[in-house]
Short mmCIF file of all heavy atoms in Angstrom, two decimals:
data_model
loop_
_atom_site.label_atom_id
_atom_site.label_comp_id
_atom_site.label_asym_id
_atom_site.label_seq_id
_atom_site.Cartn_x
_atom_site.Cartn_y
_atom_site.Cartn_z
N GLU B 269 -49.27 -113.19 -107.91
CA GLU B 269 -48.31 -112.17 -107.43
C GLU B 269 -47.28 -111.97 -108.46
O GLU B 269 -46.58 -112.85 -108.91
CB GLU B 269 -47.71 -112.54 -106.18
CG GLU B 269 -48.70 -112.60 -105.00
CD GLU B 269 -48.98 -111.25 -104.41
OE1 GLU B 269 -48.17 -110.32 -104.59
OE2 GLU B 269 -50.09 -111.15 -103.72
N PHE B 272 -43.51 -112.68 -107.11
CA PHE B 272 -43.14 -113.95 -106.66
C PHE B 272 -42.67 -114.87 -107.85
O PHE B 272 -43.25 -114.79 -108.95
CB PHE B 272 -44.18 -114.78 -105.88
CG PHE B 272 -43.65 -116.07 -105.24
CD1 PHE B 272 -43.07 -116.04 -104.05
CD2 PHE B 272 -43.60 -117.23 -106.01
CE1 PHE B 272 -42.56 -117.25 -103.45
CE2 PHE B 272 -43.20 -118.33 -105.46
CZ PHE B 272 -42.62 -118.44 -104.17
N THR B 286 -55.57 -122.52 -103.79
CA THR B 286 -55.68 -121.32 -104.53
C THR B 286 -55.99 -121.60 -106.01
O THR B 286 -56.85 -120.87 -106.69
CB THR B 286 -54.26 -120.58 -104.55
OG1 THR B 286 -53.83 -120.54 -103.06
CG2 THR B 286 -54.35 -119.20 -105.11
N LYS B 574 -42.15 -127.56 -57.43
CA LYS B 574 -43.37 -126.94 -57.13
C LYS B 574 -44.39 -127.86 -56.43
O LYS B 574 -45.08 -127.35 -55.51
CB LYS B 574 -44.05 -126.48 -58.51
CG LYS B 574 -43.33 -125.37 -59.12
CD LYS B 574 -44.18 -124.83 -60.44
CE LYS B 574 -43.30 -123.69 -61.04
NZ LYS B 574 -44.10 -123.20 -62.26
N ASN B 583 -49.27 -130.61 -45.47
CA ASN B 583 -48.70 -131.04 -44.24
C ASN B 583 -48.85 -129.99 -43.21
O ASN B 583 -49.17 -130.25 -42.06
CB ASN B 583 -47.28 -131.52 -44.46
CG ASN B 583 -46.78 -132.25 -43.21
OD1 ASN B 583 -45.86 -131.70 -42.63
ND2 ASN B 583 -47.31 -133.38 -42.97
N LYS B 584 -48.63 -128.85 -43.60
CA LYS B 584 -48.65 -127.65 -42.63
C LYS B 584 -50.07 -127.54 -42.12
O LYS B 584 -50.31 -127.33 -40.88
CB LYS B 584 -48.26 -126.40 -43.35
CG LYS B 584 -48.17 -125.25 -42.47
CD LYS B 584 -47.01 -125.24 -41.61
CE LYS B 584 -46.87 -124.22 -40.57
NZ LYS B 584 -45.70 -124.32 -39.78
N ASN B 587 -50.81 -130.29 -39.67
CA ASN B 587 -50.20 -130.19 -38.37
C ASN B 587 -50.69 -129.02 -37.48
O ASN B 587 -50.78 -129.16 -36.36
CB ASN B 587 -48.69 -130.04 -38.54
CG ASN B 587 -47.99 -131.45 -38.59
OD1 ASN B 587 -47.96 -132.06 -37.56
ND2 ASN B 587 -47.66 -131.91 -39.84
N ARG B 590 -53.60 -130.64 -36.07
CA ARG B 590 -53.22 -131.54 -35.13
C ARG B 590 -52.87 -130.87 -33.81
O ARG B 590 -53.26 -131.38 -32.69
CB ARG B 590 -51.99 -132.25 -35.66
CG ARG B 590 -51.59 -133.47 -34.93
CD ARG B 590 -50.62 -134.20 -35.77
NE ARG B 590 -49.82 -135.14 -34.97
CZ ARG B 590 -48.67 -134.91 -34.52
NH1 ARG B 590 -47.94 -133.94 -34.99
NH2 ARG B 590 -48.08 -135.86 -33.68
N GLN B 644 -59.80 -116.00 -60.43
CA GLN B 644 -58.35 -115.90 -60.02
C GLN B 644 -57.93 -116.89 -58.88
O GLN B 644 -57.67 -116.45 -57.84
CB GLN B 644 -58.11 -114.47 -59.55
CG GLN B 644 -58.20 -113.44 -60.70
CD GLN B 644 -57.91 -112.07 -60.22
OE1 GLN B 644 -58.73 -111.28 -60.02
NE2 GLN B 644 -56.61 -111.80 -60.11
N GLU B 647 -54.62 -116.43 -57.29
CA GLU B 647 -54.56 -115.40 -56.23
C GLU B 647 -55.25 -115.89 -54.92
O GLU B 647 -54.78 -115.66 -53.92
CB GLU B 647 -55.06 -114.09 -56.73
CG GLU B 647 -54.09 -113.36 -57.71
CD GLU B 647 -52.73 -113.13 -57.09
OE1 GLU B 647 -52.63 -112.50 -56.09
OE2 GLU B 647 -51.73 -113.70 -57.63
N TRP B 657 -50.54 -119.89 -43.40
CA TRP B 657 -49.14 -120.30 -42.93
C TRP B 657 -48.53 -119.14 -42.13
O TRP B 657 -48.02 -119.30 -40.97
CB TRP B 657 -48.22 -120.53 -44.10
CG TRP B 657 -46.97 -121.43 -43.81
CD1 TRP B 657 -46.14 -121.21 -42.79
CD2 TRP B 657 -46.47 -122.53 -44.48
NE1 TRP B 657 -45.22 -122.17 -42.74
CE2 TRP B 657 -45.38 -123.09 -43.79
CE3 TRP B 657 -46.91 -123.28 -45.57
CZ2 TRP B 657 -44.59 -124.09 -44.30
CZ3 TRP B 657 -46.15 -124.38 -46.03
CH2 TRP B 657 -45.01 -124.72 -45.33
N LYS B 669 -50.31 -120.00 -27.92
CA LYS B 669 -49.59 -120.95 -26.98
C LYS B 669 -49.22 -120.31 -25.70
O LYS B 669 -49.06 -120.82 -24.65
CB LYS B 669 -48.38 -121.39 -27.81
CG LYS B 669 -48.50 -122.48 -28.73
CD LYS B 669 -47.33 -122.76 -29.42
CE LYS B 669 -47.48 -123.86 -30.43
NZ LYS B 669 -46.19 -124.13 -31.28
N ARG B 848 -37.82 -87.73 -50.56
CA ARG B 848 -38.74 -88.08 -51.55
C ARG B 848 -40.21 -87.62 -51.25
O ARG B 848 -40.84 -87.01 -52.12
CB ARG B 848 -38.55 -89.62 -51.80
CG ARG B 848 -39.18 -90.05 -53.11
CD ARG B 848 -39.13 -91.62 -53.25
NE ARG B 848 -39.84 -92.32 -52.15
CZ ARG B 848 -41.14 -92.44 -52.35
NH1 ARG B 848 -41.83 -92.10 -53.40
NH2 ARG B 848 -41.82 -93.18 -51.37
N PHE B 858 -49.24 -82.44 -57.34
CA PHE B 858 -49.66 -83.54 -56.68
C PHE B 858 -50.77 -83.22 -55.69
O PHE B 858 -51.81 -83.86 -55.62
CB PHE B 858 -48.43 -84.16 -55.96
CG PHE B 858 -48.79 -85.26 -55.04
CD1 PHE B 858 -49.22 -86.50 -55.53
CD2 PHE B 858 -48.70 -85.18 -53.64
CE1 PHE B 858 -49.57 -87.58 -54.69
CE2 PHE B 858 -49.08 -86.30 -52.88
CZ PHE B 858 -49.53 -87.47 -53.36
N LYS B 861 -54.03 -82.60 -57.59
CA LYS B 861 -54.62 -83.55 -58.45
C LYS B 861 -54.77 -84.92 -57.86
O LYS B 861 -55.72 -85.64 -58.29
CB LYS B 861 -53.80 -83.73 -59.79
CG LYS B 861 -53.92 -82.52 -60.62
CD LYS B 861 -53.23 -82.60 -61.96
CE LYS B 861 -53.42 -81.40 -62.83
NZ LYS B 861 -52.58 -81.36 -63.94
N LYS B 873 -46.92 -91.63 -44.29
CA LYS B 873 -45.56 -92.23 -44.46
C LYS B 873 -44.57 -91.30 -44.04
O LYS B 873 -43.53 -91.70 -43.41
CB LYS B 873 -45.47 -92.62 -45.93
CG LYS B 873 -46.26 -93.82 -46.38
CD LYS B 873 -45.80 -94.32 -47.72
CE LYS B 873 -46.47 -93.59 -48.78
NZ LYS B 873 -46.07 -94.02 -50.20
N ARG B 880 -39.16 -92.21 -37.27
CA ARG B 880 -37.95 -93.13 -37.17
C ARG B 880 -36.70 -92.40 -37.19
O ARG B 880 -35.75 -92.73 -36.56
CB ARG B 880 -38.16 -94.13 -38.52
CG ARG B 880 -38.88 -95.38 -38.11
CD ARG B 880 -38.63 -96.38 -39.31
NE ARG B 880 -38.70 -95.89 -40.64
CZ ARG B 880 -39.80 -95.87 -41.38
NH1 ARG B 880 -40.93 -96.34 -40.90
NH2 ARG B 880 -39.77 -95.34 -42.58
P U Y 12 -36.17 -119.94 -65.01
OP1 U Y 12 -36.36 -120.61 -66.30
OP2 U Y 12 -36.13 -118.43 -64.99
"O5'" U Y 12 -37.44 -120.36 -64.21
"C5'" U Y 12 -37.79 -121.70 -64.05
"C4'" U Y 12 -39.05 -121.75 -63.21
"O4'" U Y 12 -38.81 -121.47 -61.86
"C3'" U Y 12 -40.20 -120.80 -63.57
"O3'" U Y 12 -40.96 -121.23 -64.73
"C2'" U Y 12 -41.02 -120.80 -62.29
"O2'" U Y 12 -41.87 -121.87 -62.16
"C1'" U Y 12 -39.84 -120.75 -61.24
N1 U Y 12 -39.46 -119.45 -60.80
C2 U Y 12 -40.26 -118.80 -59.82
O2 U Y 12 -41.15 -119.49 -59.26
N3 U Y 12 -39.81 -117.65 -59.43
C4 U Y 12 -38.78 -116.89 -59.97
O4 U Y 12 -38.63 -115.75 -59.49
C5 U Y 12 -38.14 -117.53 -60.95
C6 U Y 12 -38.48 -118.72 -61.40
P C Y 13 -41.79 -120.26 -65.49
OP1 C Y 13 -42.59 -121.12 -66.60
OP2 C Y 13 -41.07 -119.22 -65.92
"O5'" C Y 13 -42.90 -119.84 -64.48
"C5'" C Y 13 -43.44 -118.59 -64.43
"C4'" C Y 13 -44.07 -118.37 -63.12
"O4'" C Y 13 -43.03 -118.07 -62.02
"C3'" C Y 13 -44.93 -117.18 -63.07
"O3'" C Y 13 -46.21 -117.29 -63.51
"C2'" C Y 13 -44.93 -116.82 -61.47
"O2'" C Y 13 -45.94 -117.74 -60.79
"C1'" C Y 13 -43.55 -117.30 -61.07
N1 C Y 13 -42.61 -116.15 -60.94
C2 C Y 13 -42.70 -115.26 -59.80
O2 C Y 13 -43.62 -115.61 -59.00
N3 C Y 13 -41.91 -114.24 -59.68
C4 C Y 13 -41.01 -114.04 -60.60
N4 C Y 13 -40.16 -112.96 -60.55
C5 C Y 13 -40.82 -114.78 -61.82
C6 C Y 13 -41.72 -115.90 -61.92
P A Y 14 -47.10 -116.16 -64.04
OP1 A Y 14 -48.10 -116.69 -64.89
OP2 A Y 14 -46.33 -115.01 -64.51
"O5'" A Y 14 -47.82 -115.75 -62.73
"C5'" A Y 14 -47.50 -114.48 -62.09
"C4'" A Y 14 -48.18 -114.43 -60.77
"O4'" A Y 14 -47.19 -114.61 -59.74
"C3'" A Y 14 -48.83 -113.10 -60.48
"O3'" A Y 14 -50.22 -113.15 -60.97
"C2'" A Y 14 -48.82 -112.96 -59.01
"O2'" A Y 14 -49.73 -113.78 -58.35
"C1'" A Y 14 -47.39 -113.49 -58.79
N9 A Y 14 -46.38 -112.52 -58.98
C8 A Y 14 -45.35 -112.50 -59.91
N7 A Y 14 -44.54 -111.57 -59.78
C5 A Y 14 -45.02 -110.80 -58.58
C6 A Y 14 -44.62 -109.62 -58.04
N6 A Y 14 -43.62 -108.90 -58.44
N1 A Y 14 -45.33 -109.23 -56.96
C2 A Y 14 -46.37 -109.96 -56.51
N3 A Y 14 -46.80 -111.14 -57.04
C4 A Y 14 -46.10 -111.45 -58.14
P U Y 16 -52.04 -106.25 -61.13
OP1 U Y 16 -51.45 -106.56 -62.45
OP2 U Y 16 -51.69 -105.05 -60.33
"O5'" U Y 16 -53.64 -106.14 -61.30
"C5'" U Y 16 -54.18 -105.08 -62.14
"C4'" U Y 16 -55.57 -105.43 -62.51
"O4'" U Y 16 -55.48 -106.69 -63.28
"C3'" U Y 16 -56.61 -105.65 -61.33
"O3'" U Y 16 -57.32 -104.60 -60.98
"C2'" U Y 16 -57.49 -106.78 -62.00
"O2'" U Y 16 -58.62 -106.18 -62.55
"C1'" U Y 16 -56.61 -107.32 -63.11
N1 U Y 16 -56.28 -108.75 -62.96
C2 U Y 16 -57.07 -109.70 -63.33
O2 U Y 16 -58.16 -109.51 -63.88
N3 U Y 16 -56.55 -110.99 -63.23
C4 U Y 16 -55.44 -111.46 -62.62
O4 U Y 16 -55.20 -112.61 -62.60
C5 U Y 16 -54.63 -110.31 -62.19
C6 U Y 16 -54.99 -108.99 -62.34
P G Y 19 -51.45 -98.92 -58.79
OP1 G Y 19 -50.23 -99.25 -59.48
OP2 G Y 19 -52.11 -99.88 -57.84
"O5'" G Y 19 -51.10 -97.64 -57.87
"C5'" G Y 19 -49.77 -97.34 -57.69
"C4'" G Y 19 -49.63 -96.36 -56.59
"O4'" G Y 19 -50.30 -95.11 -56.96
"C3'" G Y 19 -50.45 -96.84 -55.27
"O3'" G Y 19 -49.47 -96.80 -54.20
"C2'" G Y 19 -51.56 -95.85 -55.13
"O2'" G Y 19 -51.62 -95.43 -53.81
"C1'" G Y 19 -51.12 -94.54 -56.00
N9 G Y 19 -52.13 -93.72 -56.59
C8 G Y 19 -53.32 -94.12 -56.95
N7 G Y 19 -54.00 -93.08 -57.46
C5 G Y 19 -53.03 -92.09 -57.40
C6 G Y 19 -53.18 -90.72 -57.76
O6 G Y 19 -54.21 -90.23 -58.38
N1 G Y 19 -52.03 -90.07 -57.70
C2 G Y 19 -50.88 -90.54 -57.17
N2 G Y 19 -49.83 -89.69 -57.02
N3 G Y 19 -50.75 -91.75 -56.66
C4 G Y 19 -51.90 -92.47 -56.84
P U Y 20 -48.87 -97.91 -53.56
OP1 U Y 20 -48.94 -99.04 -54.50
OP2 U Y 20 -49.28 -97.93 -52.17
"O5'" U Y 20 -47.37 -97.27 -53.65
"C5'" U Y 20 -46.30 -97.83 -52.96
"C4'" U Y 20 -46.30 -97.31 -51.57
"O4'" U Y 20 -47.15 -98.18 -50.76
"C3'" U Y 20 -44.97 -97.33 -50.90
"O3'" U Y 20 -44.50 -96.02 -50.71
"C2'" U Y 20 -45.13 -98.02 -49.51
"O2'" U Y 20 -44.88 -97.16 -48.40
"C1'" U Y 20 -46.68 -98.29 -49.51
N1 U Y 20 -46.97 -99.75 -49.03
C2 U Y 20 -46.86 -100.00 -47.83
O2 U Y 20 -46.66 -99.20 -46.95
N3 U Y 20 -47.17 -101.27 -47.43
C4 U Y 20 -47.50 -102.25 -48.23
O4 U Y 20 -47.81 -103.36 -47.92
C5 U Y 20 -47.66 -101.90 -49.72
C6 U Y 20 -47.30 -100.61 -50.04
P U Y 21 -43.25 -95.59 -51.43
OP1 U Y 21 -42.81 -94.50 -50.70
OP2 U Y 21 -43.71 -95.44 -52.95
"O5'" U Y 21 -42.27 -96.81 -51.41
"C5'" U Y 21 -41.03 -96.67 -52.21
"C4'" U Y 21 -40.02 -97.73 -51.64
"O4'" U Y 21 -39.68 -97.44 -50.31
"C3'" U Y 21 -40.64 -99.18 -51.56
"O3'" U Y 21 -39.70 -100.04 -52.11
"C2'" U Y 21 -40.78 -99.48 -50.16
"O2'" U Y 21 -40.57 -100.75 -49.78
"C1'" U Y 21 -39.71 -98.59 -49.59
N1 U Y 21 -39.89 -98.16 -48.14
C2 U Y 21 -38.85 -98.59 -47.24
O2 U Y 21 -37.92 -99.20 -47.58
N3 U Y 21 -39.18 -98.19 -45.95
C4 U Y 21 -40.22 -97.61 -45.41
O4 U Y 21 -40.34 -97.27 -44.31
C5 U Y 21 -41.16 -97.06 -46.41
C6 U Y 21 -41.02 -97.45 -47.73
P A Y 36 -45.82 -128.88 -29.54
OP1 A Y 36 -45.32 -127.61 -29.69
OP2 A Y 36 -46.54 -129.29 -28.27
"O5'" A Y 36 -46.76 -129.18 -30.79
"C5'" A Y 36 -47.42 -130.34 -30.94
"C4'" A Y 36 -47.77 -130.59 -32.38
"O4'" A Y 36 -48.68 -129.56 -32.86
"C3'" A Y 36 -46.57 -130.66 -33.27
"O3'" A Y 36 -46.03 -131.93 -33.43
"C2'" A Y 36 -47.32 -130.23 -34.70
"O2'" A Y 36 -47.90 -131.27 -35.24
"C1'" A Y 36 -48.35 -129.25 -34.20
N9 A Y 36 -47.91 -127.78 -34.18
C8 A Y 36 -47.31 -127.13 -33.23
N7 A Y 36 -47.04 -125.84 -33.52
C5 A Y 36 -47.52 -125.75 -34.85
C6 A Y 36 -47.52 -124.64 -35.68
N6 A Y 36 -46.98 -123.44 -35.43
N1 A Y 36 -48.13 -124.86 -36.89
C2 A Y 36 -48.64 -126.11 -37.23
N3 A Y 36 -48.62 -127.19 -36.48
C4 A Y 36 -48.10 -126.98 -35.22
P C Y 37 -44.46 -131.98 -33.70
OP1 C Y 37 -44.17 -133.49 -33.53
OP2 C Y 37 -43.81 -130.97 -32.92
"O5'" C Y 37 -44.33 -131.63 -35.19
"C5'" C Y 37 -44.75 -132.44 -36.30
"C4'" C Y 37 -44.85 -131.78 -37.55
"O4'" C Y 37 -45.60 -130.61 -37.42
"C3'" C Y 37 -43.45 -131.16 -38.00
"O3'" C Y 37 -42.64 -132.22 -38.63
"C2'" C Y 37 -43.88 -130.07 -38.91
"O2'" C Y 37 -44.24 -130.67 -40.27
"C1'" C Y 37 -45.06 -129.58 -38.33
N1 C Y 37 -44.82 -128.32 -37.44
C2 C Y 37 -44.90 -127.20 -38.18
O2 C Y 37 -45.17 -127.08 -39.33
N3 C Y 37 -44.60 -125.92 -37.42
C4 C Y 37 -44.25 -126.06 -36.17
N4 C Y 37 -44.00 -124.93 -35.51
C5 C Y 37 -44.17 -127.24 -35.45
C6 C Y 37 -44.43 -128.47 -36.14
P U Y 39 -38.56 -133.37 -43.63
OP1 U Y 39 -39.19 -134.45 -42.87
OP2 U Y 39 -37.62 -133.73 -44.72
"O5'" U Y 39 -39.66 -132.32 -44.15
"C5'" U Y 39 -39.31 -131.59 -45.36
"C4'" U Y 39 -40.59 -130.71 -45.68
"O4'" U Y 39 -41.49 -131.76 -46.19
"C3'" U Y 39 -41.12 -130.31 -44.29
"O3'" U Y 39 -41.02 -128.97 -44.07
"C2'" U Y 39 -42.64 -131.03 -44.19
"O2'" U Y 39 -43.63 -130.16 -44.01
"C1'" U Y 39 -42.74 -131.83 -45.47
N1 U Y 39 -43.13 -133.15 -45.30
C2 U Y 39 -44.41 -133.53 -45.69
O2 U Y 39 -45.19 -132.66 -46.11
N3 U Y 39 -44.68 -134.84 -45.58
C4 U Y 39 -43.99 -135.88 -45.15
O4 U Y 39 -44.39 -137.02 -45.12
C5 U Y 39 -42.66 -135.46 -44.68
C6 U Y 39 -42.25 -134.23 -44.85
P C Y 40 -41.29 -127.67 -44.53
OP1 C Y 40 -42.48 -127.66 -45.61
OP2 C Y 40 -39.94 -127.18 -45.12
"O5'" C Y 40 -41.66 -126.88 -43.33
"C5'" C Y 40 -42.61 -127.42 -42.40
"C4'" C Y 40 -42.13 -127.09 -40.99
"O4'" C Y 40 -41.15 -127.98 -40.55
"C3'" C Y 40 -41.53 -125.74 -40.75
"O3'" C Y 40 -42.58 -124.67 -40.75
"C2'" C Y 40 -40.90 -125.98 -39.39
"O2'" C Y 40 -41.79 -126.01 -38.40
"C1'" C Y 40 -40.26 -127.36 -39.60
N1 C Y 40 -38.86 -127.25 -40.02
C2 C Y 40 -37.89 -126.89 -39.13
O2 C Y 40 -38.14 -126.56 -37.94
N3 C Y 40 -36.66 -126.76 -39.58
C4 C Y 40 -36.33 -127.03 -40.86
N4 C Y 40 -35.19 -126.86 -41.25
C5 C Y 40 -37.29 -127.37 -41.76
C6 C Y 40 -38.64 -127.56 -41.36
P G Y 41 -42.14 -123.27 -41.16
OP1 G Y 41 -43.38 -122.55 -41.30
OP2 G Y 41 -41.21 -123.28 -42.24
"O5'" G Y 41 -41.41 -122.84 -39.87
"C5'" G Y 41 -42.06 -122.67 -38.59
"C4'" G Y 41 -41.13 -122.21 -37.54
"O4'" G Y 41 -40.07 -123.21 -37.38
"C3'" G Y 41 -40.48 -120.92 -37.81
"O3'" G Y 41 -41.34 -119.80 -37.65
"C2'" G Y 41 -39.27 -121.01 -36.83
"O2'" G Y 41 -39.68 -120.76 -35.57
"C1'" G Y 41 -38.93 -122.51 -36.93
N9 G Y 41 -37.87 -122.74 -37.99
C8 G Y 41 -38.03 -123.26 -39.24
N7 G Y 41 -36.89 -123.48 -39.88
C5 G Y 41 -35.96 -122.87 -38.99
C6 G Y 41 -34.60 -122.72 -39.09
O6 G Y 41 -33.82 -123.04 -40.03
N1 G Y 41 -33.98 -122.05 -38.02
C2 G Y 41 -34.68 -121.67 -36.92
N2 G Y 41 -33.94 -121.09 -35.89
N3 G Y 41 -35.95 -121.83 -36.76
C4 G Y 41 -36.57 -122.47 -37.75
P G Y 44 -34.74 -109.93 -40.51
OP1 G Y 44 -34.76 -108.41 -40.15
OP2 G Y 44 -35.93 -110.56 -41.07
"O5'" G Y 44 -33.58 -110.19 -41.48
"C5'" G Y 44 -32.23 -109.65 -41.24
"C4'" G Y 44 -31.21 -110.22 -42.18
"O4'" G Y 44 -31.42 -111.69 -42.14
"C3'" G Y 44 -31.25 -109.92 -43.62
"O3'" G Y 44 -30.84 -108.72 -43.96
"C2'" G Y 44 -30.46 -111.06 -44.24
"O2'" G Y 44 -29.10 -110.81 -44.06
"C1'" G Y 44 -30.89 -112.29 -43.33
N9 G Y 44 -31.72 -113.23 -43.98
C8 G Y 44 -33.17 -113.36 -43.59
N7 G Y 44 -33.69 -114.27 -44.39
C5 G Y 44 -32.67 -114.71 -45.19
C6 G Y 44 -32.72 -115.66 -46.26
O6 G Y 44 -33.66 -116.41 -46.67
N1 G Y 44 -31.47 -115.86 -46.85
C2 G Y 44 -30.33 -115.18 -46.52
N2 G Y 44 -29.27 -115.41 -47.25
N3 G Y 44 -30.28 -114.20 -45.53
C4 G Y 44 -31.56 -114.14 -44.98
P C Y 57 -50.40 -83.92 -64.77
OP1 C Y 57 -51.58 -83.08 -64.37
OP2 C Y 57 -49.45 -83.53 -65.88
"O5'" C Y 57 -49.43 -84.47 -63.48
"C5'" C Y 57 -48.54 -83.48 -63.05
"C4'" C Y 57 -48.00 -84.09 -61.64
"O4'" C Y 57 -49.21 -84.03 -60.80
"C3'" C Y 57 -47.68 -85.45 -61.61
"O3'" C Y 57 -46.15 -85.54 -62.05
"C2'" C Y 57 -47.75 -85.87 -60.22
"O2'" C Y 57 -46.82 -85.32 -59.38
"C1'" C Y 57 -49.08 -85.09 -59.85
N1 C Y 57 -50.26 -85.99 -59.95
C2 C Y 57 -50.56 -86.98 -59.03
O2 C Y 57 -49.69 -87.15 -58.17
N3 C Y 57 -51.62 -87.71 -59.14
C4 C Y 57 -52.42 -87.49 -60.20
N4 C Y 57 -53.49 -88.27 -60.25
C5 C Y 57 -52.25 -86.51 -61.12
C6 C Y 57 -51.16 -85.75 -60.98
P C Y 75 -55.73 -119.64 -95.69
OP1 C Y 75 -56.88 -119.61 -96.47
OP2 C Y 75 -55.55 -120.66 -94.70
"O5'" C Y 75 -54.51 -119.55 -96.68
"C5'" C Y 75 -53.90 -120.78 -97.10
"C4'" C Y 75 -53.45 -120.70 -98.47
"O4'" C Y 75 -54.54 -120.64 -99.33
"C3'" C Y 75 -52.67 -119.44 -98.82
"O3'" C Y 75 -51.20 -119.54 -98.39
"C2'" C Y 75 -52.80 -119.26 -100.28
"O2'" C Y 75 -51.99 -120.08 -100.94
"C1'" C Y 75 -54.28 -119.77 -100.47
N1 C Y 75 -55.25 -118.70 -100.32
C2 C Y 75 -55.26 -117.65 -101.36
O2 C Y 75 -54.32 -117.59 -102.22
N3 C Y 75 -56.22 -116.63 -101.29
C4 C Y 75 -57.03 -116.64 -100.40
N4 C Y 75 -58.05 -115.71 -100.33
C5 C Y 75 -57.20 -117.79 -99.35
C6 C Y 75 -56.23 -118.68 -99.37
P C Y 76 -50.59 -118.48 -97.59
OP1 C Y 76 -50.69 -118.81 -96.17
OP2 C Y 76 -50.97 -117.06 -97.98
"O5'" C Y 76 -49.01 -118.66 -98.08
"C5'" C Y 76 -48.37 -117.64 -98.84
"C4'" C Y 76 -48.61 -117.83 -100.26
"O4'" C Y 76 -48.98 -116.51 -100.77
"C3'" C Y 76 -47.30 -118.24 -101.05
"O3'" C Y 76 -47.19 -119.59 -101.24
"C2'" C Y 76 -47.41 -117.41 -102.36
"O2'" C Y 76 -48.19 -118.14 -103.23
"C1'" C Y 76 -48.05 -116.07 -101.82
N1 C Y 76 -47.24 -115.19 -101.26
C2 C Y 76 -46.93 -113.94 -101.99
O2 C Y 76 -47.57 -113.78 -103.14
N3 C Y 76 -46.08 -113.10 -101.52
C4 C Y 76 -45.52 -113.35 -100.43
N4 C Y 76 -44.60 -112.35 -100.00
C5 C Y 76 -45.72 -114.47 -99.64
C6 C Y 76 -46.51 -115.36 -100.12
P A Y 77 -45.84 -120.25 -100.93
OP1 A Y 77 -45.79 -120.85 -99.59
OP2 A Y 77 -44.83 -119.21 -101.26
"O5'" A Y 77 -45.56 -121.51 -101.99
"C5'" A Y 77 -45.50 -121.10 -103.34
"C4'" A Y 77 -46.70 -121.70 -104.12
"O4'" A Y 77 -47.34 -120.84 -104.79
"C3'" A Y 77 -46.26 -122.91 -105.02
"O3'" A Y 77 -47.29 -123.93 -105.05
"C2'" A Y 77 -46.13 -122.14 -106.29
"O2'" A Y 77 -46.42 -122.99 -107.36
"C1'" A Y 77 -47.13 -121.12 -106.16
N9 A Y 77 -46.68 -119.79 -106.91
C8 A Y 77 -45.59 -119.57 -107.42
N7 A Y 77 -45.46 -118.33 -108.00
C5 A Y 77 -46.62 -117.74 -107.53
C6 A Y 77 -47.17 -116.45 -107.90
N6 A Y 77 -46.51 -115.57 -108.48
N1 A Y 77 -48.28 -116.12 -107.40
C2 A Y 77 -49.02 -117.22 -106.74
N3 A Y 77 -48.65 -118.40 -106.50
C4 A Y 77 -47.40 -118.63 -106.96
#
Side-chain angles (χ1 to χ4, degrees):
Chain B
E269 293 282 337
F272 190 90
T286 312
K574 286 189 182 178
N583 189 246
K584 187 73 187 181
N587 272 289
R590 192 161 159 260
Q644 293 183 259
E647 285 301 302
W657 201 316
K669 280 179 185 172
R848 193 180 65 81
F858 175 70
K861 292 187 177 167
K873 282 193 278 181
R880 271 197 310 271

